[in-house]
Amino acid sequence: MVIINTQGIVLKSVPYKENDLILTIFSRKLGKVSVIARGAKKSKSSLLSSSQIFAYSNFTLKREGNMYRVTQSEIIKSFYNLSYDFEAFSYATYILKLIDSFIIENQPNNRLFILLAQSLYLFCEEDIDMEYVSLCFKLKFLEYIGFKPIVNTCVSCYNKDFKNPVFNVYEGGILCEKCSEHFEHNLKINITTTKLMDYILKNDVLICSKAKVSKYLINELSRILKIYMNEYLGKINEKSLNLLKSLNKKGVE
Protein backbone atom coordinates (compact mmCIF):
# COMPACT_ATOMS: atom_id res chain seq x y z
CA MET A 1 0.00 0.00 0.00
CA VAL A 2 1.42 3.36 -1.06
CA ILE A 3 0.27 6.42 0.93
CA ILE A 4 1.72 9.85 0.23
CA ASN A 5 1.23 13.13 2.07
CA THR A 6 1.90 16.14 -0.11
CA GLN A 7 0.91 19.74 -0.69
CA GLY A 8 -0.92 20.30 -3.95
CA ILE A 9 -2.80 22.87 -6.01
CA VAL A 10 -5.87 21.85 -8.04
CA LEU A 11 -5.39 22.63 -11.74
CA LYS A 12 -8.60 21.02 -12.94
CA SER A 13 -11.70 19.40 -11.44
CA VAL A 14 -13.89 17.13 -13.60
CA PRO A 15 -17.14 15.41 -12.49
CA TYR A 16 -16.99 11.61 -12.39
CA LYS A 17 -20.00 9.39 -11.74
CA GLU A 18 -22.64 10.85 -9.42
CA ASN A 19 -20.69 12.31 -6.53
CA ASP A 20 -17.01 11.92 -7.42
CA LEU A 21 -14.45 14.25 -8.96
CA ILE A 22 -11.29 13.59 -10.94
CA LEU A 23 -8.74 16.18 -9.90
CA THR A 24 -5.58 17.19 -11.71
CA ILE A 25 -3.24 18.30 -8.96
CA PHE A 26 0.18 19.90 -9.21
CA SER A 27 1.90 18.59 -6.09
CA ARG A 28 5.26 19.07 -4.40
CA LYS A 29 6.17 15.38 -4.18
CA LEU A 30 4.56 13.87 -7.28
CA GLY A 31 4.43 16.78 -9.72
CA LYS A 32 1.29 16.77 -11.86
CA VAL A 33 -0.96 13.85 -11.02
CA SER A 34 -4.59 12.80 -11.56
CA VAL A 35 -6.47 11.67 -8.44
CA ILE A 36 -10.02 10.66 -7.62
CA ALA A 37 -11.89 12.41 -4.81
CA ARG A 38 -14.79 10.10 -3.95
CA GLY A 39 -17.92 11.82 -2.72
CA ALA A 40 -16.33 15.26 -3.13
CA LYS A 41 -19.42 16.67 -4.89
CA LYS A 42 -21.57 16.12 -1.79
CA SER A 43 -22.24 19.33 0.14
CA LYS A 44 -21.13 17.76 3.44
CA SER A 45 -17.99 16.13 2.04
CA SER A 46 -14.76 16.90 3.89
CA LEU A 47 -13.05 16.96 0.47
CA LEU A 48 -15.35 19.57 -1.08
CA SER A 49 -13.33 22.75 -0.42
CA SER A 50 -9.98 21.22 -1.40
CA SER A 51 -11.43 19.84 -4.65
CA GLN A 52 -12.14 23.24 -6.18
CA ILE A 53 -9.96 24.80 -8.88
CA PHE A 54 -7.07 26.87 -7.39
CA ALA A 55 -7.38 25.15 -3.98
CA TYR A 56 -4.01 24.79 -2.22
CA SER A 57 -4.16 21.94 0.30
CA ASN A 58 -2.38 19.19 2.17
CA PHE A 59 -3.47 15.94 0.52
CA THR A 60 -3.20 12.36 1.71
CA LEU A 61 -3.16 10.15 -1.38
CA LYS A 62 -3.55 6.38 -1.47
CA ARG A 63 -2.45 4.40 -4.50
CA GLU A 64 -5.25 2.33 -6.01
CA GLY A 65 -4.30 0.59 -9.25
CA ASN A 66 -3.18 3.19 -11.80
CA MET A 67 -4.53 6.14 -9.83
CA TYR A 68 -4.35 7.81 -6.46
CA ARG A 69 -7.39 8.39 -4.27
CA VAL A 70 -7.69 11.37 -1.94
CA THR A 71 -8.30 9.92 1.52
CA GLN A 72 -7.85 13.16 3.46
CA SER A 73 -7.29 16.82 2.71
CA GLU A 74 -6.75 20.00 4.65
CA ILE A 75 -7.13 23.35 2.92
CA ILE A 76 -4.18 25.75 3.21
CA LYS A 77 -5.50 28.50 0.95
CA SER A 78 -8.59 28.27 -1.24
CA PHE A 79 -7.85 31.27 -3.52
CA TYR A 80 -11.61 31.10 -4.04
CA ASN A 81 -11.95 34.86 -4.32
CA LEU A 82 -10.16 34.65 -7.69
CA SER A 83 -13.48 33.49 -9.10
CA TYR A 84 -15.09 36.84 -8.27
CA ASP A 85 -12.61 38.99 -10.20
CA PHE A 86 -12.66 38.43 -13.96
CA GLU A 87 -9.17 39.82 -14.50
CA ALA A 88 -7.63 37.75 -11.71
CA PHE A 89 -9.58 34.67 -12.81
CA SER A 90 -8.40 35.07 -16.42
CA TYR A 91 -4.72 35.29 -15.53
CA ALA A 92 -4.95 32.57 -12.88
CA THR A 93 -6.68 30.06 -15.17
CA TYR A 94 -4.14 30.85 -17.89
CA ILE A 95 -1.11 29.94 -15.73
CA LEU A 96 -2.88 26.79 -14.52
CA LYS A 97 -3.47 25.85 -18.15
CA LEU A 98 0.23 26.35 -18.93
CA ILE A 99 1.19 23.87 -16.23
CA ASP A 100 -1.53 21.39 -17.16
CA SER A 101 -0.60 21.55 -20.86
CA PHE A 102 3.19 21.43 -20.72
CA ILE A 103 4.15 19.57 -17.56
CA ILE A 104 4.50 15.78 -17.82
CA GLU A 105 2.84 13.74 -15.07
CA ASN A 106 4.87 12.44 -12.13
CA GLN A 107 7.78 14.85 -12.55
CA PRO A 108 8.17 17.01 -9.41
CA ASN A 109 9.29 20.60 -9.93
CA ASN A 110 9.44 22.33 -6.56
CA ARG A 111 10.54 25.71 -7.94
CA LEU A 112 7.55 25.74 -10.28
CA PHE A 113 5.22 24.69 -7.46
CA ILE A 114 6.38 27.62 -5.32
CA LEU A 115 6.10 29.99 -8.30
CA LEU A 116 2.51 28.88 -8.91
CA ALA A 117 1.48 29.32 -5.26
CA GLN A 118 3.12 32.74 -5.04
CA SER A 119 1.55 33.92 -8.31
CA LEU A 120 -1.95 32.88 -7.22
CA TYR A 121 -1.35 34.72 -3.96
CA LEU A 122 -0.37 37.88 -5.87
CA PHE A 123 -3.46 37.71 -8.09
CA CYS A 124 -5.52 37.95 -4.90
CA GLU A 125 -3.75 41.11 -3.73
CA GLU A 126 -4.88 44.67 -4.32
CA ASP A 127 -2.86 47.19 -6.35
CA ILE A 128 -1.03 44.45 -8.28
CA ASP A 129 -0.29 44.70 -11.99
CA MET A 130 -1.66 41.29 -12.94
CA GLU A 131 -0.42 41.41 -16.50
CA TYR A 132 3.12 42.07 -15.28
CA VAL A 133 2.88 39.24 -12.71
CA SER A 134 1.64 36.87 -15.43
CA LEU A 135 4.64 37.83 -17.60
CA CYS A 136 6.98 37.16 -14.67
CA PHE A 137 5.33 33.74 -14.34
CA LYS A 138 5.75 33.00 -18.06
CA LEU A 139 9.43 33.91 -18.09
CA LYS A 140 10.24 31.91 -14.97
CA PHE A 141 8.06 29.04 -16.22
CA LEU A 142 10.19 28.88 -19.37
CA GLU A 143 13.31 28.71 -17.22
CA TYR A 144 11.95 25.97 -14.98
CA ILE A 145 10.98 23.72 -17.89
CA GLY A 146 14.27 24.17 -19.73
CA PHE A 147 13.55 26.91 -22.28
CA LYS A 148 15.18 29.87 -20.56
CA PRO A 149 16.02 32.69 -22.99
CA ILE A 150 19.50 34.21 -22.64
CA VAL A 151 19.08 37.90 -21.89
CA ASN A 152 22.23 39.05 -20.07
CA THR A 153 24.80 38.21 -22.73
CA CYS A 154 25.00 37.90 -26.50
CA VAL A 155 24.17 34.31 -27.44
CA SER A 156 26.69 34.45 -30.30
CA CYS A 157 29.84 36.17 -28.98
CA TYR A 158 28.99 36.14 -25.23
CA ASN A 159 29.61 39.88 -25.00
CA LYS A 160 27.86 41.40 -21.99
CA ASP A 161 28.55 45.00 -22.88
CA PHE A 162 26.01 45.89 -25.55
CA LYS A 163 23.88 48.99 -26.16
CA ASN A 164 21.57 48.16 -29.07
CA PRO A 165 20.62 44.49 -28.75
CA VAL A 166 18.01 42.54 -30.70
CA PHE A 167 16.11 39.43 -29.67
CA ASN A 168 16.35 36.35 -31.85
CA VAL A 169 13.85 33.63 -31.03
CA TYR A 170 15.62 30.94 -33.06
CA GLU A 171 18.98 31.62 -31.40
CA GLY A 172 17.38 31.63 -27.97
CA GLY A 173 17.99 35.16 -26.78
CA ILE A 174 19.87 38.41 -27.16
CA LEU A 175 22.26 39.30 -29.96
CA CYS A 176 24.55 42.31 -29.71
CA GLU A 177 24.49 44.95 -32.44
CA LYS A 178 27.57 43.52 -34.20
CA CYS A 179 26.40 39.89 -34.20
CA SER A 180 22.86 40.77 -35.22
CA GLU A 181 24.11 41.56 -38.72
CA HIS A 182 24.78 37.85 -39.28
CA PHE A 183 21.30 36.62 -38.32
CA GLU A 184 17.80 36.92 -39.75
CA HIS A 185 14.44 37.27 -38.02
CA ASN A 186 15.74 39.65 -35.35
CA LEU A 187 13.18 41.39 -33.15
CA LYS A 188 13.68 44.91 -31.89
CA ILE A 189 13.96 45.11 -28.12
CA ASN A 190 14.67 47.97 -25.76
CA ILE A 191 17.79 47.40 -23.67
CA THR A 192 15.71 48.22 -20.57
CA THR A 193 13.44 45.29 -21.45
CA THR A 194 16.45 42.95 -21.52
CA LYS A 195 17.44 44.24 -18.07
CA LEU A 196 13.89 43.69 -16.84
CA MET A 197 13.94 40.10 -18.11
CA ASP A 198 17.27 39.51 -16.39
CA TYR A 199 15.87 40.99 -13.16
CA ILE A 200 12.82 38.70 -13.30
CA LEU A 201 14.94 35.61 -13.92
CA LYS A 202 17.22 36.42 -10.99
CA ASN A 203 14.56 37.25 -8.42
CA ASP A 204 11.60 35.76 -6.60
CA VAL A 205 8.22 36.66 -8.17
CA LEU A 206 7.15 38.29 -4.88
CA ILE A 207 10.13 40.63 -5.11
CA CYS A 208 9.55 41.23 -8.83
CA SER A 209 5.92 42.19 -8.23
CA LYS A 210 7.00 45.23 -6.21
CA ALA A 211 8.77 46.83 -9.18
CA LYS A 212 6.99 49.67 -10.97
CA VAL A 213 7.19 48.81 -14.66
CA SER A 214 6.02 51.07 -17.49
CA LYS A 215 3.27 49.96 -19.85
CA TYR A 216 5.71 50.25 -22.75
CA LEU A 217 8.06 47.65 -21.24
CA ILE A 218 5.14 45.37 -20.32
CA ASN A 219 3.82 45.50 -23.88
CA GLU A 220 7.24 44.78 -25.36
CA LEU A 221 7.90 41.91 -22.95
CA SER A 222 4.45 40.50 -23.73
CA ARG A 223 5.14 40.64 -27.48
CA ILE A 224 8.57 38.97 -27.17
CA LEU A 225 7.34 36.20 -24.86
CA LYS A 226 4.33 35.41 -27.04
CA ILE A 227 6.52 34.88 -30.11
CA TYR A 228 9.12 32.94 -28.10
CA MET A 229 6.58 30.64 -26.44
CA ASN A 230 4.76 29.98 -29.71
CA GLU A 231 8.05 28.84 -31.20
CA TYR A 232 9.17 26.57 -28.36
CA LEU A 233 5.85 25.41 -26.88
CA GLY A 234 3.49 25.75 -29.83
CA LYS A 235 0.51 28.06 -30.17
CA ILE A 236 -1.13 28.52 -26.80
CA ASN A 237 -4.85 29.09 -26.33
CA GLU A 238 -5.20 32.60 -24.90
CA LYS A 239 -8.96 32.89 -25.32
CA SER A 240 -9.58 34.17 -21.78
CA LEU A 241 -6.74 36.70 -21.98
CA ASN A 242 -7.85 37.91 -25.41
CA LEU A 243 -11.37 38.44 -24.06
CA LEU A 244 -9.94 40.33 -21.09
CA LYS A 245 -7.87 42.60 -23.37
CA SER A 246 -10.89 43.18 -25.58
CA LEU A 247 -13.00 44.26 -22.59
CA ASN A 248 -10.21 46.50 -21.32
CA LYS A 249 -9.98 48.24 -24.72
CA LYS A 250 -13.72 48.86 -24.74
CA GLY A 251 -13.42 50.27 -21.24
CA VAL A 252 -10.78 52.74 -22.40
CA GLU A 253 -12.88 53.78 -25.39
Side-chain angles (χ1 to χ4, degrees):
M1 181 187 302
V2 178
I3 297 177
I4 294 175
N5 296 305
T6 182
Q7 291 183 357
I9 296 172
V10 177
L11 305 179
K12 189 163 56 178
S13 180
V14 179
Y16 178 70
K17 294 186 177 180
E18 186 176 354
N19 294 307
D20 303 342
L21 292 170
I22 299 292
L23 309 178
T24 303
I25 295 173
F26 189 56
S27 68
R28 277 188 183 269
K29 292 184 179 179
L30 298 173
K32 190 179 78 169
V33 62
S34 295
V35 303
I36 186 166
R38 298 196 185 281
K41 290 172 66 178
K42 294 180 179 179
S43 59
K44 294 184 179 180
S45 172
S46 61
L47 305 180
L48 179 62
S49 60
S50 57
S51 298
Q52 308 303 308
I53 187 172
F54 306 127
Y56 176 22
S57 309
N58 284 313
F59 290 97
T60 299
L61 306 177
K62 180 181 178 182
R63 186 83 182 194
E64 292 186 351
N66 295 325
M67 286 192 70
Y68 286 95
R69 177 171 66 88
V70 182
T71 58
Q72 286 183 312
S73 63
E74 181 183 2
I75 198 85
I76 298 172
K77 180 74 174 176
S78 69
F79 296 118
Y80 188 70
N81 54 332
L82 288 171
S83 301
Y84 295 101
D85 184 317
F86 182 69
E87 182 180 15
F89 182 80
S90 297
Y91 284 118
T93 52
Y94 175 76
I95 67 173
L96 260 60
K97 187 175 181 64
L98 276 181
I99 292 177
D100 190 30
S101 299
F102 298 106
I103 297 300
I104 299 172
E105 289 203 357
N106 301 308
Q107 289 191 2
N109 190 326
N110 196 53
R111 291 194 302 170
L112 183 54
F113 180 86
I114 293 170
L115 174 64
L116 175 59
Q118 290 177 335
S119 299
L120 293 177
Y121 164 80
L122 287 171
F123 289 143
C124 292
E125 293 294 286
E126 295 182 359
D127 300 321
I128 285 290
D129 189 326
M130 295 187 193
E131 182 179 11
Y132 169 57
V133 170
S134 74
L135 294 174
C136 291
F137 181 92
K138 287 181 185 180
L139 189 52
K140 297 178 86 64
F141 175 78
L142 286 167
E143 178 187 10
Y144 297 163
I145 65 171
F147 293 104
K148 175 184 174 180
I150 304 302
V151 295
N152 61 350
T153 185
C154 175
V155 295
S156 180
C157 71
Y158 308 110
N159 175 26
K160 292 188 176 184
D161 184 22
F162 45 78
K163 295 181 180 179
N164 296 298
V166 296
F167 191 92
N168 191 294
V169 170
Y170 305 104
E171 297 303 316
I174 296 298
L175 289 168
C176 68
E177 189 173 12
K178 184 178 180 180
C179 290
S180 66
E181 298 174 1
H182 307 294
F183 295 88
E184 297 180 345
H185 309 296
N186 296 323
L187 301 173
K188 289 183 179 180
I189 187 170
N190 190 296
I191 192 168
T192 308
T193 305
T194 69
K195 291 179 179 178
L196 174 62
M197 294 173 77
D198 189 40
Y199 173 78
I200 293 169
L201 288 168
K202 289 178 177 177
N203 288 282
D204 183 284
V205 70
L206 296 179
I207 294 174
C208 293
S209 69
K210 297 175 183 179
K212 300 298 181 183
V213 182
S214 72
K215 193 63 179 176
Y216 173 84
L217 294 180
I218 288 174
N219 288 340
E220 184 165 75
L221 179 56
S222 177
R223 175 178 62 88
I224 294 290
L225 286 180
K226 184 173 183 177
I227 297 170
Y228 188 87
M229 293 175 78
N230 283 346
E231 176 62 28
Y232 288 95
L233 301 182
K235 193 167 181 62
I236 300 165
N237 187 341
E238 296 186 348
K239 186 176 180 180
S240 62
L241 297 187
N242 290 335
L243 176 59
L244 176 63
K245 290 176 182 178
S246 175
L247 292 174
N248 286 340
K249 283 183 179 179
K250 289 181 180 179
V252 171
E253 293 171 359

